[in-house]
Amino acid sequence: MRIGFVGLGRMGGNMVQRLLEGGHAIVANNRSTGSIDEAVKKGAEGAYTLEDLVKKLQAPRAVWVMVPAGNSTQDMLHRLSELLSPGDLLIDGGNSNYKDSIRHANEITASGLRFLDVGTSGGIWGRKVGYCLMIGGKEEDFRELEPLFKTLAPRDGYLHCGPVGSGHFVKMVHNGIEYGIMQAIAEGFDIMKGANNPTVAEEHRFSLPVADIAEVWRRGSVLSSWLIDLTAKAMVEDPQLTKFSGSVQDSGEGRWTVMAAIEESVSAEVIAASLFTRFRSRQDHSFAEKVLSAMRFQFGGHVEKPTGG
C-alpha cells in the first residue's frame, strides 16, 4: 500500500521503518527535516510540507498521523482536513483521549473525509516485535487498511474494536492496567530492597540480590512478562537505579481511565492508587518509583523530567 505518514518521532519513525520493510510505500513528513531525511535514507519518499505530502498521494488518500495527543493532534488533523479531498482517510495513531477522537471524527466526516482511531502499543521495541493495534471506526475503512495493520502488528496483534473512539478507549484502559501492574512490580522490589533495613528485626533481615531475583522471575515464574524482562534489564545495567530520580510522569491515559471508571460507577482502586502514587512521586522518591521510572525508560524510552521535589 501507499500511505502518507506524519510524525517521525520515537514511535512514528520506527513504524515507518517496519512498514517499509513490509513492502509498503511511505510518503513521510515531520516538523523537523532531519527526521524526513532519515526516513528517505531508509526508503521512504520525503514530503517537506503537508501540501507536498498530499500531492504525492493518489486519491483516495490515506494519511497516518503520529504526533503528541492534544493540541498537536488537533492542529494536524485540522490542517490535513483542509488539504485532503472527500473520500480520503485520516488515521490518528497517537494516544488521544477517546472523547477527542469522537469529536475529531465528527468534524472530519462533516467535510466528506473518513477517520480511524488506532491505539498503538509497543514502544521502542515495536519495530522489531510488532505493535499491538486497537482500531476504532467503520468496518469498511478498517478492512481497506488491514494490510498496513498486518504489517505493523505481530500475528493476531490487531483488532477492530468497534466504532470511532473505541480504539483509543481500549488503549486508554490498556494503559490504565499497565499503571497498576507496574506499580505492583515496583512495590514488590521496594519491599525486597527494604528487607535489609535496620528497622527490621535482625533475624528477619535479608540482603537480597534484587537484580538476580528479577532475572529468575523471568524463567517459569507466574509473574514472567515483558515488564519483568525490562525490569531485569534495567537492574543489570544499574542495580541501584542511580540514574533515575524516581519522579514518574503520567501521559494522560491513567487519568482518563480513572475518570471513565467514575463515569461508569466502576470500582478501580488499583489503577486509581497507582495514578496517585505517580503524582506523589514528583514530591519525594522511593526505590519503587525508580523501578517505575526504569520500566518506562526500558519500554518506551521515556526520560523523566526533573522536578523541584
Side-chain angles (χ1 to χ4, degrees), residues 164-178:
V164 162
S166 63
H168 280 149
F169 184 88
V170 174
K171 177 57 162 54
M172 173 192 76
V173 176
H174 166 282
N175 281 29
I177 293 169
E178 177 187 290

Side-chain angles (χ1 to χ4, degrees), residues 224-238:
S224 60
S225 64
W226 189 42
L227 288 174
I228 291 291
D229 291 347
L230 297 179
T231 302
K233 184 176 184 294
M235 288 185 172
V236 166
E237 295 170 354
D238 179 9

